[in-house]
């Protein structure tokens, strides 16, 4: 992951909450949150009390007034930081290529933050009380992503610090302050707008459905849809609506010969009621770097199956990319769905960080896809994501990031790493105790890939290690083969994050699932209560019942 550097947060002891208080929906509006208090009083509940006190107006107010002030200041500072980055990019001819790539990462990420903050301001202006569950979850998700985006910008700058250390130092200061401010905003939002208890109740069943066609399809489009409908994916669809279909075929017989051309033809800023713009990518190897921008919303890309439709590239940190822009396939547009595709990064283990897919798309789903690389294969970067019946191959930290993500019914295949390396499967990147993020691995199978299984080399494989201070990963009802080390989990650096992380296992099976000799860290838990494990299900952790049915991707909402 990005440069393998971490940014230590200075958190007062009283902010480090016990297990349930660290879960995404248990942080709740304080019953006294409407009373006018001093900045010093309200700032006690934030991760940075001193910084919080220094930026809030020096007068008594309630948490909602303080929160709205903090949001607007965050928006102003993000705009200022974007102008600073743009100023450097205007002088790109004098900058090293690696520095330009890091600045471009920061520009993309800061632009997203401005969007998220602008939307969030509208929500918090609505009320001096709590928001409905789904609305509160939307805002908390965006605020969590803002902090992640700032950390990623910092990681990219650090990865390229050798090319221009003075620029990195100049940007790190304002970036650090902006991160603190957004952490304050998230804490105040949690205190003032998040309901104490949810009123929304998840469904308790598996979702399977049957296909329906929109009426405005052309005859040719209808024929393609009906052909796809005979396949496994679209046989499960009930409410999927498709506005149009285009075909990508390298031989020229479709609408386009490249995936990027098809994406460029998609409408901008669609909404969910418009239906998906469906891109059918026929079998073949597509040597393309695909990046789906934020305005290409509600795309649905379907291939001809794993190892039939293949999107491949070979960018890596070793060859000058940042981790963020090393991805063969990247998406930030919300409402994205992919099915029946293999995504590869062929840089190899020797090139270290080399991402196959980077996903920062809210309410996104991947179904029956394969992700193939070595270090840092699947970058579940931010926002809410779901993966079903996918295959993930890799070595070091090959499922990583700071999204709220559930992997369900997937196959996880650790590969043979370089000599001297070990395999941590996950490296979750939560940096703030109020972020509603984490990796939930549910009903998956963990077995050695063919190269590791046939190797005579002894390779230690672990369930994960803490990339960031509040790293959170849970394995539930999954099969773990004997390759999993008895300790289960591995340190990142000494005792870093061992008391602030949250790692847990619940009702797993297989020879690698024995918890008898697991680590004894304060943050590690064996979950015995079903109610505790249910927090990390699709219905609770992602509020998946509200958005997954329209994707057509099957899912299990609760525990099996």
């Amino acid at each position: 992951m990005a440069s393998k550097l971490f940014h230590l947060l200075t958190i007062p002891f009283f902010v480090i909450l016990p297990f349930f208080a660290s879960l995404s929906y248990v942080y709740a509006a304080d019953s006294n949150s409407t009373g006018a208090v001093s900045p010093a009083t309200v700032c006690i509940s934030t991760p940075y009390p001193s910084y919080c006190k220094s930026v809030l107006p020096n007068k008594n107010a309630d948490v909602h007034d303080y929160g709205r002030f903090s949001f607007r200041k965050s928006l102003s500072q993000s705009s200022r930081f974007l102008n600073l980055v743009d100023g450097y990019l205007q002088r790109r001819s004098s900058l090293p290529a690696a520095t330009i790539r890091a600045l471009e990462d920061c520009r993309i990420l800061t632009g997203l933050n401005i969007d998220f903050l602008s939307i969030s301001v509208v929500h918090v202006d609505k009320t001096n009380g709590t928001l409905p569950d789904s609305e509160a979850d939307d805002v908390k998700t965006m605020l969590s992503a803002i902090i992640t985006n700032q950390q990623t910008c910092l990681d990219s700058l650090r990865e390229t610090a050798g090319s221009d250390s003075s620029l990195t130092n100049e940007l790190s200061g304002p970036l650090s302050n902006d991160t603190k401010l957004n952490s304050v905003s998230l804490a105040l939002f949690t205190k003032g707008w998040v309901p104490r208890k949810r009123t929304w109740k998840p469904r308790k069943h598996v979702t399977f459905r049957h296909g329906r066609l929109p009426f405005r399809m052309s005859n040719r489009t209808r024929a393609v849809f009906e052909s796809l409908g005979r396949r496994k994916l679209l046989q499960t669809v009930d409410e999927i609506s498709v506005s149009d279909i285009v075909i990508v075929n390298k031989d020229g017989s479709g609408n386009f010969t490249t995936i990027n051309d098809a994406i460029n033809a998609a409408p901008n800023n669609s909404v969910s009621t418009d239906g998906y713009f469906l891109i059918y990518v026929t079998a073949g190897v597509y040597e393309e770097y695909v990046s789906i921008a934020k305005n290409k919303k509600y795309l649905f890309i379907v291939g001809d199956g794993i190892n039939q439709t293949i999107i491949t590239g070979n960018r890596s940190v070793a060859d000058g990319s940042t981790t963020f822009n090393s991805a063969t396939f990247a998406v930030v547009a919300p409402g994205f769905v992919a099915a029946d595709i293999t995504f590869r990064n062929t840089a190899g283990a020797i090139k270290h960080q080399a991402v196959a897919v980077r996903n920062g798309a809210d309410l996104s789903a991947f179904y029956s896809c394969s992700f193939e690389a070595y270090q840092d294969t699947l970058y579940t970067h931010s926002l809410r994501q779901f993966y079903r019946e996918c295959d993930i191959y890799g070595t070091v930290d090959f499922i990583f990031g700071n999204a709220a993500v559930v992997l369900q019914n997937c196959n996880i295949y650790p590969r043979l790493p370089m000599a001297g390396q070990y395999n941590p499967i996950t490296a979750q990147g939560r940096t703030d105790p109020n972020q509603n993020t984490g990796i939930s691995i549910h009903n998956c199978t963990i077995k050695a890939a063919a190269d590791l299984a046939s190797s005579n080399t002894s390779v230690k494989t672990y369930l994960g290690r803490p990339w960031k201070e509040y790293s959170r990963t849970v394995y539930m009802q999954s099969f773990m083969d004997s390759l999993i080390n008895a300790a289960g989990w591995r340190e990142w650096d000494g005792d870093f994050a061992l008391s602030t992380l949250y790692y847990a296992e619940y009702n797993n099976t297989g020879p690698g699932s024995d918890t008898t000799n697991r680590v004894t860290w304060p943050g590690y838990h064996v979950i015995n209560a079903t109610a505790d494990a249910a927090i990390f299900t699709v219905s609770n952790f992602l509020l998946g019942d509200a958005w997954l049915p329209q994707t057509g991707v099957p899912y299990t909402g609760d525990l099996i």
Side-chain angles (χ1 to χ4, degrees), residues 264-506:
N264 290 336
N268 294 331
N269 297 313
S270 297
V271 295
S272 60
T273 53
D274 292 335
Y276 290 104
F277 185 84
L278 196 149
I279 300 172
Y280 170 39
V281 185
T282 60
V285 178
Y286 295 82
E287 297 180 5
E288 296 187 53
Y289 293 99
V290 178
S291 183
I292 302 176
K294 63 184 181 181
N295 63 333
K296 297 296 183 179
K297 301 175 182 178
Y298 293 96
L299 294 187
F300 196 138
I301 300 182
V302 183
D304 269 327
I306 291 175
N307 292 330
Q308 298 300 310
T309 298
I310 301 167
I311 304 173
T312 185
N314 63 0
R315 288 177 180 163
S316 68
V317 168
D319 286 337
S321 293
T322 62
T323 300
F324 185 81
N325 65 38
S326 71
T328 299
F329 187 98
V331 56
V332 296
F336 177 77
V337 184
D340 294 335
I341 297 172
T342 290
F343 303 92
R344 284 183 184 155
N345 188 316
T346 61
I350 198 170
K351 294 298 180 71
H352 300 284
Q353 299 99 316
V355 175
V357 167
R358 187 192 81 234
N359 186 6
D362 199 22
L363 309 179
S364 58
F366 286 76
Y367 178 54
S368 190
C369 290
S370 183
F371 306 88
E372 301 175 9
Y374 287 84
Q375 182 171 340
D376 291 1
T377 302
L378 177 57
Y379 195 172
T380 58
H381 181 265
S382 55
L383 302 164
R384 292 165 290 193
Q385 310 178 12
F386 179 64
Y387 298 78
R388 171 83 177 200
E389 295 174 34
C390 292
D391 298 335
I392 306 108
Y393 296 82
T395 54
V396 179
D397 306 333
F398 64 98
I399 301 170
F400 76 111
N402 195 25
V405 55
V406 177
L407 292 87
Q408 190 174 84
N409 293 28
C410 293
N411 297 308
I412 298 172
Y413 295 115
R415 304 176 86 168
L416 182 66
M418 292 190 295
Q421 288 186 324
Y422 58 90
N423 284 337
I425 294 172
T426 65
Q428 205 280 327
R430 188 165 169 255
T431 60
D432 187 291
N434 287 298
Q435 286 177 307
N436 62 351
T437 55
I439 297 172
S440 174
I441 295 176
H442 183 212
N443 196 33
C444 293
T445 298
I446 305 166
K447 290 186 175 182
D451 60 349
L452 181 59
S454 62
S455 171
N456 293 323
T457 305
S458 176
V459 174
K460 292 183 178 180
T461 298
Y462 300 90
L463 299 174
R465 60 176 182 161
W467 181 24
K468 305 293 182 181
E469 190 163 1
Y470 292 90
S471 184
R472 180 162 62 179
T473 302
V474 178
Y475 286 80
M476 306 189 300
Q477 299 178 316
S478 294
F479 175 85
M480 301 176 181
D481 214 343
S482 57
L483 76 163
I484 301 300
N485 186 272
W489 307 80
R490 177 80 180 227
E491 303 87 352
W492 182 275
D493 184 16
D495 63 358
F496 168 70
L498 302 189
S499 62
T500 51
L501 60 79
Y502 181 83
Y503 288 165
E505 299 178 54
Y506 171 74

Side-chain angles (χ1 to χ4, degrees), residues 120-131:
S120 298
V121 164
V122 174
H123 287 285
V124 299
D125 280 349
K126 287 181 178 180
T127 178
N128 280 342
T130 59
L131 292 168

